[in-house]
Amino acid sequence: MQNNQPERNINLKLRYIAKAFVVLILIIASAVIVYCMGGTGSAFAHIMYLPIILSAYYFGIVGSVVTAILGGLALGPHMYENVSSELMQQSSIWIVRLIVFITFGIIISLLFMRIKGYEKEEAERSHVNLLTGLPNANKLKVDLDELIESKTEFSLIGFRIENINNIKQNISYETGVKSIKKALEILSELTDSTAYSIDDNTFAIVLPSGRIENAQTLGERFLYKTFEPVLIDQIKIGLLIKCGIVNFPLHAEDSYEMITKINMVLEQAKGEIGLYIYNGVLEKKSKSRSELVPHLLNAINNNEFYLVYQPKESIIDDGTISVEALLRWNNPTIGQISPSEFIVTAEEIGLIGEITKWVIKNVIEQKEKWKKTGLDVKIAFNISPKDLNNNSVMNYFIEVINNKELDLSLLEVELTERAVLENREIVIMLFNALRKIGIKIALDDFGTGYNSLINLVQFPADHIKIDKKFIDNITENTYKLVIKYTIGSAHRLGRKVVAEGVETKEQFDILKNIGCDYIQGYYISKPILPDELEDYLASKSPCQPV
Ligand code: C2E
Ligand code: CA
Ligand code: CA
């Protein structure tokens, strides 16, 4: 934030001179008023306190003493005590007045110093993040305003540790704080720019007059440097970092917009890591999110939801082990909306519980319908992490399974690895309770959480579903090795492994070779409507629920 410094110094000097000039004029004006009003014997002699007070405020002790001396001399030996009778003052009177002026100047400037000290402390406090000790978003805003005023191009680079909550919950809060400090330390090795804490886990630096490409290079170097696990209190911690870039004047016009947009960039693709540059699509997305809400509130009542089912099959003999119920929403005004989009919104507005109940109800109804036609297929359904702390959903689920005559081993609950990590205790209890009554549990999106192999040991899930991102890259040797190792570890712990999002024969063959148990993906079937699924299953060997 060093540019424009000479210009700023000149401005400061000019202001200083202007203030001194005002004080001088006030001294002269006061002396003239005293003279016109009859001399120092009149009460108007006190008017000289005004320039002294002003000078104490502007310039502190030295300024107020100089002003007191000038003021005292202006009302000194040459000034009449009484102008009309041309009576001069006794020396002792004007000397005492001079001393009183000086003493007054010193006291009043000490008072001002005290008040300004408080103000400064307060301003500093409001500009600092208490956890990191770094300048905060208020200070960032002030500094951005200055840069924007100077109309130079600059970029704001933000970053956030995506797995910070996992680190705080699974290791310790202190380790979380140390991880943040470690990341900031690595950043400071790459740049001299000041780091700001936008909040406890969102940081930003400003690259003045930096082109967007420079910001990109810095962001990439930072990500590269934090790719290796860092050592904190003898523990190796993997930091999953997301960086975002917003450029002035390319993406924003003022400081408020810049800070809002850097938050938007960091909010996108929650949990993902990497470097993201702001683009307008983001804004459209979050706008349409607020458009979704009024429609979403009525979606259940207006019967706009329906379920599709996607089979999971054994990799050895293509027998269907279960089908996963996936929610679909078709709104007459805004059309078909993907669950990846509306589930998040439903979670944000507290509607997810009602949606999960709807899913449970419909899954059970479908189950009973299929049973009547002789199709005894296991159905898996997804629940949201928000449901775990929602008694109404849990009670509804218990009530439904108690009141219906269901083969509970033909039900499976899918919960993402990340949801599991954020609700550790409650999830272990729930998993144990569900397994006791025969309901199977699958750990969804496996591999996207923090320290996945430890989670494998700690959570009593029946199946783990390796996330599609790993399968997408399975033709690369390192990915293949990681998947093979994960499958081996899962097997040793008695868990079965499902590969998600299998799309090609090549992926299928590799998975078969490295011992994966089950697969799900477009290679076998897309999610399909219940009657399509009936036809699909009729053409195959009987289901083999596991
Ligand atoms: P998920 O549970 O991981 O579901 C897998 C997603 O991958 C589904 O997307 C599925 O259609 C898609 N998929 C499956 N195989 C392939 C493939 O070979 N290639 C590609 N490109 N995609 C494949 P979908 O149905 O859009 O659901 C997205 C996510 O929304 C789900 O991820 C799940 O997290 C959530 N979701 C869906 N239905 C529900 C629900 O009823 N309740 C809750 N809480 N979440 C749901
Ligand atoms: Ca799932
Ligand atoms: Ca998944």
Side-chain angles (χ1 to χ4, degrees), residues 52 69 176 192 205 238 272 315 326 344 378 380 410 482 494 520 539:
I52 301 172
I69 294 171
D192 292 335
I205 53 166
E272 302 266 308
I315 206 161
L326 291 159
V344 182
K378 183 164 93 174
L410 291 182
V482 169
Q520 189 181 21
S539 68

Side-chain angles (χ1 to χ4, degrees), residues 174-220:
E174 286 69 36
T175 311
V177 174
K178 284 182 184 168
S179 303
I180 291 171
K181 295 199 167 148
K182 186 77 195 172
L184 287 165
E185 196 184 304
I186 296 173
L187 184 71
S188 71
E189 286 163 12
L190 299 175
T191 171
D192 292 335
S193 300
T194 315
Y196 299 81
S197 285
I198 294 183
D199 61 43
D200 285 350
N201 185 36
T202 310
F203 306 91
I205 53 166
V206 179
L207 272 196
S209 64
R211 290 166 54 78
I212 198 158
E213 290 81 6
N214 301 350
Q216 210 171 334
T217 312
L218 179 62
E220 276 162 6

Side-chain angles (χ1 to χ4, degrees), residues 324 326 382 414 416 443-446 465-468 500-501 520:
E324 177 180 1
L326 291 159
N382 295 279
E414 294 198 3
T416 63
L443 214 51
D444 209 348
D445 301 347
F446 189 79
K465 297 184 76 178
I466 298 187
D467 192 71
K468 182 174 183 304
E500 288 192 306
Q520 189 181 21

Side-chain angles (χ1 to χ4, degrees), residues 17 33 44 102 140 155 176 254 258 266 297 323 332 354 442-443 445 470 490 501 504 508 526 538 546:
I17 293 170
I33 290 172
F44 281 93
I102 293 173
L140 174 63
S155 294
D254 58 43
M258 292 219 70
L266 294 173
L297 290 172
V323 293
E354 289 313 301
L443 214 51
D445 301 347
F470 290 89
T504 65
F508 177 89
K526 287 196 165 180
V546 286

Side-chain angles (χ1 to χ4, degrees), residues 384-412:
S384 149
K386 296 270 187 289
D387 298 328
L388 296 170
N389 298 307
N390 184 338
N391 285 340
S392 135
V393 175
M394 291 300 145
N395 291 340
Y396 180 81
F397 186 43
I398 293 166
E399 197 184 304
V400 173
I401 55 178
N402 281 342
N403 290 343
K404 304 260 178 186
E405 282 195 5
L406 292 168
D407 179 354
L408 296 180
S409 67
L410 291 182
L411 277 184
E412 180 168 359

